[in-house]
Amino acid sequence: MICLQMLRRLSTPASRARRNYTDPAANGHDGLSFQFTEDQIQMRNLTRKFARERILPAAAHHDRTGEFAHDIVREAWDLGLMNTSIPPEYGGPGLSHMDHVIAAEELNYACCGISLSLLANGLATAPVQKYGSEAIKQKYLGWLTREPILAAYGVTEPGTGSDVAGVKTRAERKGDDWIVNGNKMWISNGGVASWYFILARSDPDPKTPTSRAFTAFVIEADAPGVTKGRKEWNMGQRASSTTGITFEDVRIPHENVVGEVGGGFYTVMGAFDATRPAVAAAAVGLAQRCIDESIKYAVERKTFGEPIIAYQSVSNMIADMLIGTESSRLATYKSAWLGDRGEKNTYMASIAKCMAADNANRCASDAVQIFGGNGYNSEYPVEKLMRDAKIFQIYEGTNQIQRLIITREKLEQLKTDGMD
């Protein structure tokens, strides 16, 4: 309960004043600072303790069996480590983006699959929190903080990933209700969620602009016509309950619309700026684990009478891992910092997500190489890390999409600055 009490303290007006990201003077310095507050240090340490003492020892079992870590999820909820971005008026601590990425890195150091189960609620709540009506926020955000339930973000479909405008799920208005039909795929927490945030096409006219063709909704998992698919056996992050979801004539009330009717595309896209820093932080956590495992192994493993870390070829690999991870961490912090200042962070969120994902994959590959034949064996930890890393380059928008966003945002900045 110490962790929960500390998180509640973080949400007090006094603590928020100490973390005033818009006023450098409020933090005791005149400009840029890389120093955490005392509250953030305590939160990091408590999250690290839970991750390394509770999640890490269970990681191999859940990766091997694919069992969902219900007990760990419940313990994390009891400690207050879930739903941390939900504001106090809905029962959450209302932590900042920076607080969230600090915690996400620590959790993912231990196991990305289990951590995804804990943090996926944030994907579902971000658009609800930003665009939902007061009634929908009270009901669905409040539900997550009152009970240890899970939520899921349902946009991806069997034939639609990064192309959000290609969503085929349909929503038809019937009086005061909507009728939803369609299929979602690769939904994190899909098999265990109590409610879903989903996107559906609400205007059947193919000529309707994307900006007016889609509507976002909250659908409860036990609504008639909702069917959860089988758990998918993925390459990595196997502790996550990743499933498909089918909607067959699912009737939902109009009050469950999130944002404006027809404005669902922007509801979805607008939430990514809040969620991508946390994904970047997750990739940083995995990369840091790769570094620590590699250093430990390279110090202990000897060839020709010398620890292999003494060889320049190995030490240079570790140095490159450190360079990439420290750089990714700083980009992640900047993307979160901008969000906390209320500034647009699309550019930096995409940079952070793209850089951290690529770096995590390089670090995992190099860790396996440093371990040699042992690294290719499931008895050693880096094999799992390599499998877990790949999805960071795919979900929350592929890294190819991130690069398109980065270039587009830079061109917009140049236009705004009056440059050709």
Side-chain angles (χ1 to χ4, degrees), residues 401-412:
I401 291 293
Q402 301 312 310
R403 287 176 167 85
L404 291 174
I405 294 171
I406 292 164
T407 305
R408 182 193 67 198
E409 289 294 315
K410 174 52 68 175
L411 291 174
E412 288 298 320

Side-chain angles (χ1 to χ4, degrees), residues 60-92:
H61 168 78
H62 288 281
D63 176 68
R64 184 172 58 252
T65 64
E67 294 175 9
F68 190 80
H70 290 284
D71 53 343
I72 294 177
V73 171
R74 178 56 194 254
E75 290 174 36
W77 186 87
D78 286 338
L79 286 169
L81 293 176
M82 296 175 62
N83 310 307
T84 55
S85 64
I86 295 179
E89 54 266 38
Y90 310 113

